[in-house]
Structures are given as C-alpha cells and as structure tokens.
Amino acid sequence: YTHTNGESPEGQRIMRDICRWHVEEFAYLVGRLKAVPEGHGTLLDNTCAIFAHEHAEANPHKDNGLALILAGHAGGMKTGLHSKMRNTIGDLYLTVAEEVFKTPLEKGFPTAEKKISGIV
C-alpha cells in the first residue's frame, strides 16, 4: 500500500520522527542559548536562529509549505508571532540580513523580491 505521493505509511512515520527530532534539537539549542547569561540578558537575546524544515519543497522555483522558526531577539526581532506568509525564503534571508543584522546586500539575495514587514 502506498499513498498518492508514492510514500508508504512506514516512510511517512519515519519522516515524521525525523522532523520531530529536528524540532526537538532546535528547541534544545534555543533553551541552551536562553540559559547563558550575556550582557544585560542572555545569549538568546543577542542571537538570530532560523530553523528551516528542509523536507518541504524549498527550491528557488517552489518554496510553498516551508515551515520556518525564528528565535532570538538580535536586532530587535519580534517573538511570539505565528503567521502564514506568501514570501520566499530569499525574502526572509534578505530581511534578516538587512533589518536584523543591519548588513546591506548590494546585490540583494537570490529569490528575494521584497523584505518582510513585522519581523523587526
């Protein structure tokens, strides 16, 4: 028995378990960053960490369904938000580079069309 996408239920279970492990490891990293004092806050306060779920279709031509998690407060990043966007992964990287890290990209970023508002 296979699903319409050609994967067996066992293959889907294995993929789910791998994805869960990746998210748990990212959560562990964020917890460790939050536990390290730095300056007037924590290491997480001075960090921008991005988790990209690489099992979605994330090539330059099709990046729909890509789950992303941003963590940290570097550059005044806003936290506690959840949204579904129609931006590209290039838009996110361009926004992080220019708005969070204040690093202008003279040539832009591949697949970037515009910066994302509301992150900083």
Side-chain angles (χ1 to χ4, degrees):
Y1 171 76
T2 60
H3 288 272
T4 56
N5 64 2
E7 285 189 37
S8 69
E10 177 66 12
Q12 288 183 339
R13 184 195 63 74
I14 291 168
M15 184 65 71
R16 182 200 64 219
D17 291 348
I18 291 169
C19 293
R20 179 180 293 138
W21 181 78
H22 286 157
V23 172
E24 288 170 352
E25 289 297 303
F26 185 75
Y28 172 77
L29 171 65
V30 169
R32 294 291 307 210
L33 293 170
K34 190 174 182 177
V36 177
E38 182 176 77
H40 296 293
T42 69
L43 189 52
L44 183 60
D45 292 326
N46 299 303
T47 298
C48 170
I50 300 174
F51 171 81
H53 182 279
E54 76 261 12
H55 297 297
E57 298 179 63
N59 66 53
H61 304 290
K62 189 172 183 184
D63 59 7
N64 59 340
L66 185 62
L68 300 163
I69 301 171
L70 275 67
H73 296 285
M77 278 182 22
K78 295 178 183 176
T79 59
L81 306 172
H82 177 272
S83 64
K84 186 172 185 175
M85 298 184 177
R86 301 213 180 272
N87 299 84
T88 68
I89 189 73
D91 293 342
L92 175 67
Y93 292 149
L94 175 67
T95 304
V96 167
E98 292 192 348
E99 299 300 319
V100 174
F101 294 112
K102 308 296 185 211
T103 305
L105 300 178
E106 293 175 14
K107 295 182 181 180
F109 195 91
T111 74
E113 297 172 9
K114 62 181 178 177
K115 288 190 242 181
I116 302 170
S117 62
I119 292 176
V120 179

